[in-house]
Every structure is written in structure tokens, then in C-alpha cells.
């Protein structure tokens, strides 16, 4: 078992205050290594909040997240930062590439060891291989502003995979793309998941993308339930 979400709830507001809001209610599910899952649901249903909790960017009000047997809530800030950098890759709807550095440099940022300013040749070789894999080898020296929307998102995907993570979390990764670019990115994520053996969780409004996942969950009113998409 790679990921265990156990009875996770998230509340905002004072515990006894009138404005207390439940975003997530007793959410539980599991993923094994290499498995994929989609989380669907209306805007504001808590999908991004759940993804942030799984990725250690936010903490649950109650419940626990276990990644490879480690309870994320029990890790200190340094250890949690290491887990996020080493074991979890992130892909967001907006690519969050640094505009002042090249495609290759953006990809290598997560691979820079703490306190050092350079990466080894093995990591650079992996970056070049991944760029070739996603059709961007000819764009490695380009800046983000010189890329199309689909190329920027493919760069963000390579960045998420550069450290060989156990888990990749993607929040509406195709949301800002046209249909063709979105389809290409969806196939790329699935292919990389298969080739790299990385577990993948995607928050999406795209039923076409959700159908490609092993499991589909619907999040409504803070409650997560397994569902089927016809």
C-alpha cells in the first residue's frame, strides 16, 4: 500500500463558532503503487483542499494521511519538505514555471539538493530523456513565454516526474488547454504513470480524463464516494 487516507476531515472557523464550515467529512481511500485515481465534483466541493492535504501542503482537522507508511502529520517541517520534494510530484492547472529560467532549468529545480546550486549528470541525463519522451527536446533552452500552453504544461509534468516520485498529484492539469492539447496531456500522464510506476491522483472536471483512471471518486458536500463514469 502506497497511500492511505484515513477519516480525513477539514473544517474552517472556530470549533464552536457559527461560521464553522466543513470542507471534507471523514474521507477515506487507498492507493497501491502505480495505481491511478480521479477525483471529480462541482467547483468548491473541496477537491483542491483534499489534494493539498494529501500532498502535505495543508493539514487535516482530523484524520491522517500515510504515504509509504509514514504519517505526514507526525513529520517535522524539514522531513515533510523532504517528502514533498522527493516522493511527491505536483502538476497544477497553471504551470507555475519560473519565467526567468529555461525549460531545462525549470525542470531541474526540484532536483537541486538542499544547500547546493547544481545537479549531477545522472539527473541532467534523466531530464533530457524525459524531455525527449514528451517531445520537448528541441525546446530545452526556450523560456516559458516562448512556449504554447500545452508545451508549458508538458514542461510542468516533466518537472513533477524528475525526482522519480512515488506519487504525482495533478490539479485540473488540462483545465486551461484546448481539447487537442488536453487530450495529448492526458495521454502523456497515463503513459508516464505506466512507464514510471508512479501512483497518480488527478482532480478534474474532464470526464474523458477521469475515464482513463483506475478509480474514480466523486466529492460532494465534503463526502467522497467511489463512482462509475459511463
Amino acid at each position: 500500500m502506497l497511500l492511505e487516507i484515513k477519516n480525513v476531515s477539514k473544517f474552517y472557523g472556530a470549533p464552536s463558532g457559527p461560521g464553522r464550515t466543513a470542507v471534507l467529512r471523514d474521507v477515506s481511500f487507498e492507493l497501491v503503487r502505480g495505481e491511478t485515481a480521479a477525483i471529480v465534483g462541482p467547483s468548491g466541493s473541496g477537491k483542491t483542499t483534499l489534494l493539498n492535504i494529501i500532498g502535505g501542503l495543508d493539514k487535516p482537522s482530523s484524520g491522517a494521511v500515510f504515504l509509504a507508511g509514514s504519517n505526514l502529520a507526525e513529520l517535522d517541517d524539514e522531513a515533510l519538505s523532504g517528502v514533498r520534494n522527493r516522493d511527491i510530484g505536483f502538476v497544477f492547472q497553471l504551470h507555475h514555471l519560473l519565467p526567468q529560467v529555461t525549460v531545462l532549468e525549470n525542470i531541474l529545480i526540484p532536483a537541486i539538493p538542499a544547500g547546493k546550486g547544481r545537479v549531477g549528470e545522472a539527473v541532467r541525463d534523466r531530464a533530457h530523456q524525459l524531455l525527449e519522451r514528451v517531445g520537448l527536446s528541441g525546446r530545452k533552452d526556450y523560456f516559458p513565454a516562448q512556449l504554447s500552453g500545452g508545451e508549458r504544461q508538458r514542461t510542468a509534468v516533466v518537472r513533477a516526474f524528475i525526482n522519480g516520485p512515488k506519487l504525482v498529484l495533478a490539479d485540473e492539469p488540462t483545465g486551461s488547454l484546448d481539447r487537442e492539447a488536453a487530450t495529448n496531456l492526458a495521454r502523456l500522464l497515463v503513459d508516464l504513470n505506466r512507464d514510471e510506476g508512479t501512483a497518480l491522483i488527478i482532480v478534474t472536471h474532464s470526464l474523458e480524463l477521469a475515464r482513463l483512471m483506475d478509480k474514480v471518486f466523486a466529492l460532494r458536500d465534503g463526502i467522497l464516494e467511489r463512482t462509475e463514469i459511463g
Side-chain angles (χ1 to χ4, degrees):
M1 190 61 61
L2 175 67
L3 179 69
E4 296 177 89
I5 312 299
K6 294 187 175 182
N7 306 112
V8 164
S9 294
K10 182 68 176 181
F11 300 94
Y12 291 109
S16 57
R20 187 168 173 79
T21 302
V23 180
L24 301 172
R25 302 174 184 267
D26 203 32
V27 169
S28 296
F29 71 95
E30 300 175 339
L31 281 186
V32 299
R33 294 180 185 272
E35 195 171 25
T36 62
I39 300 174
V40 300
S43 297
S45 61
K47 301 187 299 298
T48 295
T49 298
L50 177 57
L51 212 65
N52 287 342
I53 289 173
I54 294 170
L57 299 173
D58 197 359
K59 294 184 178 180
S61 301
S62 61
V65 176
F66 293 86
L67 181 64
S70 295
N71 185 344
L72 298 188
E74 294 179 351
L75 302 179
D76 61 28
D77 289 344
E78 183 177 356
L80 183 59
S81 178
V83 167
R84 285 198 300 260
N85 188 62
R86 180 183 64 252
D87 296 331
I88 305 174
F90 297 90
V91 183
F92 304 97
Q93 180 174 353
L94 299 178
H95 50 79
H96 296 306
L97 300 177
L98 297 180
Q100 70 272 27
V101 298
T102 66
V103 165
L104 180 60
E105 290 166 337
N106 265 288
I107 289 165
L108 291 174
I109 286 170
I112 298 173
K116 299 181 180 180
R118 62 189 302 276
V119 297
E121 287 304 312
V123 177
R124 287 184 172 274
D125 287 346
R126 175 170 168 77
H128 286 294
Q129 290 166 7
L130 286 171
L131 283 169
E132 176 96 24
R133 174 74 178 75
V134 305
L136 288 176
S137 58
R139 299 286 195 270
K140 65 182 179 64
D141 295 321
Y142 283 40
F143 291 91
Q146 298 173 292
L147 304 177
S148 68
E151 289 171 335
R152 287 192 288 267
Q153 278 300 73
R154 279 185 278 158
T155 301
V157 167
V158 172
R159 182 181 58 188
F161 278 87
I162 187 64
N163 283 339
K166 296 181 175 72
L167 173 67
V168 168
L169 305 174
D171 191 0
E172 295 286 0
T174 64
S176 62
L177 304 178
D178 61 41
R179 185 177 181 85
E180 181 179 0
T183 298
N184 290 337
L185 190 76
R187 290 173 179 164
L188 172 62
L189 283 166
V190 172
D191 287 347
L192 284 171
N193 154 259
R194 182 189 63 240
D195 295 344
E196 299 273 326
T198 299
L200 174 65
I201 300 176
I202 294 180
V203 163
T204 184
H205 283 99
S206 169
L207 297 184
E208 182 178 359
L209 178 53
R211 287 188 188 99
L212 299 175
M213 302 297 107
D214 299 320
K215 297 177 178 178
V216 181
F217 297 93
L219 184 61
R220 295 184 181 88
D221 299 322
I223 297 173
L224 189 76
E225 296 180 330
R226 185 81 179 266
T227 189
E228 299 291 336
I229 297 179

